Amino acid sequence: MANNLELQGGTYHVRLAVPADVQKSFGGRRILSQSLMTGVHQEAMDRRLPILAAWKSQIKIAREGKKLPEGWQDDLVSLISKVDEVKNNRKLAIIGLPAPHLSVEPSDVEAFKQANPLTHLLIEKMVDVEWENGVNGDLRIQDALNAIIKRTIQQAMNNKHRLSQDQQEELTGILGGANTYKPKSPITKGRLATFRTFRESRNVAVKTIDQQQSKLEKLSAFLTDTGRNLDFDAISAWLDSMKLASKTLTQYLLAGSVFWKWALKHDAYWRDEYRDRANPFENHDLPKVRGKDRADAQRKDFTLEDLSSLHAAALAQGLTALADLILLGAYTGARIEELCQLQTGHVITVDGVQSFDITDSKTRAGIRVVPVHPALTDVVKRLTKDSKDEYLVVTNSRSKYGIRSDPMVKAFGRLKTGMGFGPQHVYHSIRKTVITQLVRAGVQGTLIAELVGHETGLVTFDVYSQGATALQKFDAISKLPELTTVPHVDEE
């Protein structure tokens, strides 16, 4: 079983032998096995890694010791606080100040030294202090004894429980200062790194991974700063603290829920600690926007006159690429990134109809072929001829995610704002304009959905239908009314 892989019926499985001394913790199982749902060896090699890591971590915990009881941190904080209180009271008594809970006479200190003649040798060895006579020496003895007690507690917990790295760091933090200790967030950097590796092996978009990791890092910081445990109330307080729109908060909850479900499956510590708890990211009541406020917050479409004015303004400002992008959107209804990803090779002919082959979209339905509107014929010809990098639309994007539309979105935002349009009008509003015009031209709803890349929600059309013919789609797209535009002037 090379590389912990075994091919079963054309599908790879990852397998790991359970050591005999911990098999009882795994329900008597001698082999752990899980399908990797692929018959491709390299994919299986990548997918096995996070699973093996989780299994090995689980074996380590099973082998190393007894699980700590829930709330152990609070109990330890209480204990260390009492240990520190005793030390402080003894020091107060030594210097002659009243101690609130403990009265120690100088004679008691001297008696302790006489009864424990070797104590100072132990103190010097463990905490590197020298024995001194007088008040100063007695004060240092109290600090040293306090340190010995804490080290004894730490050794006892390690011997009994064999703490994980996360728990060891928490223990050290509590021993270092019970009064200032804040519970450490379980969403650690190491756990996030493992989560990222897993999602990359599942081909999740890098941008999605980055965005959700950023949200999880913010949550982790909140838990640490506030000293709260990861539960429903903490998540509710976190959401309230951000003062964001419900739609945005939903994305934060989604990031947390995805992480939670992954950790329960692939993180042995998490599974052991949280397996009997409800997902704290679910069932939150977010503010709802209703009535007029909801209508006012929605994006609005442009009129045909608006689009003509925007196109003319872009040309007047020398924004030729943006002007072209406005026309492409107005005659296709395509998303801005779909248009910016079009290359010369994506201008194809289907059954005699010149069309755009949209192969890069945010949805499955977005992968489609859209006929070139008659008003775009000369534009497409010019863009194809002038292309320097095979792309039809020129941008200077430096996006690390390969998103070419970022600078065009910003340029359009400046243009429309300068013309008096508010936040409800964005480039995506052109898509609403196109759909509205197609509806008013009497185009069938399912054909509109096919042209703009929407699913209909009906199995008949989304699964079984092969769609309209190229000619049918051309007849439909040609019903979009032509804008009043300023002729493009080629630069000499």
Side-chain angles (χ1 to χ4, degrees):
M1 187 171 60
N3 300 316
N4 296 92
L5 293 179
E6 183 174 279
L7 191 62
Q8 300 179 12
T11 300
Y12 280 102
H13 287 65
V14 58
R15 293 167 62 85
L16 182 68
V18 180
D21 61 318
V22 296
Q23 287 179 4
K24 184 176 180 180
S25 299
F26 288 83
R29 296 171 65 186
R30 292 181 294 177
I31 297 290
L32 299 176
S33 179
Q34 181 171 317
S35 171
L36 297 175
M37 295 180 289
T38 182
V40 180
H41 185 264
Q42 187 56 53
E43 288 185 356
M45 290 286 287
D46 293 336
R47 294 181 183 182
R48 72 194 168 103
L49 296 177
I51 298 174
L52 285 173
W55 283 344
K56 290 177 180 179
S57 177
Q58 189 176 2
I59 289 172
K60 184 173 182 290
I61 290 176
R63 174 176 283 158
E64 289 184 346
K66 182 179 177 182
K67 178 180 180 295
L68 281 167
E70 184 176 349
W72 68 271
Q73 298 96 330
D74 294 335
D75 293 339
L76 183 60
V77 166
S78 177
L79 173 61
I80 297 302
S81 295
K82 291 177 181 178
V83 169
D84 287 340
E85 182 181 15
V86 170
K87 177 197 71 172
N88 293 333
N89 287 338
R90 283 175 173 169
K91 292 176 75 172
L92 287 172
I94 289 171
I95 64 177
L97 294 177
H101 303 296
L102 181 67
S103 176
V104 178
E105 299 297 328
S107 58
D108 294 331
V109 177
E110 186 61 33
F112 173 81
K113 290 193 290 185
Q114 294 297 327
N116 299 275
L118 297 180
T119 299
H120 68 285
L121 298 177
L122 178 62
I123 294 172
E124 290 178 4
K125 182 178 180 181
M126 294 189 70
V127 294
D128 194 25
V129 300
E130 296 181 359
W131 187 273
E132 297 181 30
N133 293 321
V135 172
N136 190 48
D138 294 338
L139 292 175
R140 297 189 70 186
I141 288 174
Q142 299 307 321
D143 289 332
L145 291 175
N146 179 269
I148 291 173
I149 293 172
K150 290 181 178 179
R151 291 192 183 189
T152 301
I153 292 172
Q154 185 173 30
Q155 290 172 357
M157 291 192 69
N158 278 322
N159 291 338
K160 184 177 181 180
H161 297 287
R162 299 291 183 180
L163 311 182
S164 68
Q165 182 63 35
D166 289 344
Q167 292 169 333
Q168 188 63 255
E169 291 177 5
E170 282 195 282
L171 172 59
T172 301
I174 295 172
L175 294 173
N179 293 334
T180 60
Y181 167 75
K182 292 180 180 178
K184 181 180 178 182
S185 167
I187 307 176
T188 62
K189 291 182 179 179
R191 197 159 277 128
L192 284 176
T194 304
F195 178 50
R196 183 184 188 92
T197 299
F198 174 83
R199 302 195 79 201
E200 288 174 344
S201 72
R202 295 299 189 269
N203 296 318
V204 178
V206 176
K207 184 177 181 181
T208 299
I209 294 175
D210 285 350
Q211 289 176 336
Q212 294 190 340
Q213 179 163 327
S214 175
K215 292 176 174 60
L216 291 168
E217 288 171 349
K218 291 178 182 177
L219 171 58
S220 183
F222 174 84
L223 294 175
T224 300
D225 292 343
T226 59
R228 303 189 68 142
N229 294 317
L230 179 57
D231 54 28
F232 182 91
D233 291 338
I235 299 303
S236 181
W238 176 52
L239 296 176
D240 290 341
S241 72
M242 290 187 286
K243 309 296 182 184
L244 298 174
S246 296
K247 184 176 181 180
T248 304
L249 293 177
T250 299
Q251 296 303 313
Y252 277 82
L253 290 174
L254 175 62
S257 191
V258 170
F259 175 82
W260 177 274
K261 292 175 182 178
W262 165 82
L264 282 180
K265 287 184 178 180
H266 301 289
D267 188 288
Y269 168 79
W270 200 282
R271 183 167 54 247
D272 198 39
E273 186 72 16
Y274 295 104
R275 62 184 171 187
D276 296 326
R277 303 189 195 183
N279 185 334
F281 299 95
E282 295 181 345
N283 301 317
H284 287 271
D285 294 323
L286 300 178
K288 291 181 171 57
V289 181
R290 300 181 181 277
K292 183 177 183 300
D293 290 337
R294 182 173 184 178
D296 291 342
Q298 288 185 337
R299 290 172 178 168
K300 299 179 179 179
D301 58 343
F302 291 108
T303 66
L304 298 177
E305 292 74 17
D306 291 338
L307 293 180
S308 295
S309 298
L310 287 164
H311 177 262
L315 285 180
Q317 295 180 31
L319 304 174
T320 305
L322 182 59
D324 290 334
L325 199 54
I326 291 171
L327 291 182
L328 289 170
Y331 292 123
T332 63
R335 302 174 179 91
I336 190 169
E337 182 62 19
E338 293 173 346
L339 295 171
C340 287
Q341 290 290 346
L342 286 175
Q343 300 182 16
T344 56
H346 294 143
V347 180
I348 62 176
T349 300
V350 180
D351 295 335
V353 177
Q354 187 181 46
S355 306
F356 294 117
D357 186 13
I358 299 177
T359 61
D360 192 335
S361 180
K362 63 183 292 187
T363 66
R364 183 183 65 176
I367 307 302
R368 62 198 188 281
V369 175
V370 180
V372 174
H373 189 283
L376 283 179
T377 302
D378 291 339
V379 175
V380 172
K381 182 178 180 180
R382 171 173 52 81
L383 293 177
T384 302
K385 177 184 176 183
D386 295 345
S387 176
K388 298 291 192 298
D389 57 2
E390 296 186 355
Y391 288 99
L392 295 183
V393 178
V394 178
T395 80
N396 59 353
S397 174
R398 294 179 176 83
S399 170
K400 66 178 181 179
Y401 305 114
I403 298 175
R404 301 188 74 249
S405 61
D406 280 349
M408 306 305 287
V409 170
K410 294 174 183 177
F412 185 83
R414 292 189 294 269
L415 179 71
K416 62 96 177 179
T417 300
M419 296 180 64
F421 292 101
Q424 292 84 9
H425 285 94
V426 294
Y427 185 89
H428 204 74
S429 299
I430 300 177
R431 189 168 166 84
K432 294 174 71 81
T433 303
V434 170
I435 294 173
T436 298
Q437 294 301 319
L438 290 174
V439 169
R440 292 176 179 178
V443 178
Q444 189 178 17
T446 53
L447 183 48
I448 295 175
E450 187 175 348
L451 288 170
V452 300
H454 282 161
E455 291 186 354
T456 67
L458 300 173
V459 174
T460 304
F461 298 107
D462 295 336
V463 177
Y464 291 101
S465 174
Q466 294 301 308
T469 65
L471 185 57
Q472 285 175 314
K473 289 192 287 187
F474 177 76
D475 288 341
I477 208 76
S478 297
K479 292 181 179 180
L480 288 172
E482 294 192 19
L483 305 180
T484 302
T485 59
V486 178
H488 175 84
V489 179
D490 290 326
E491 296 181 359
E492 295 297 336

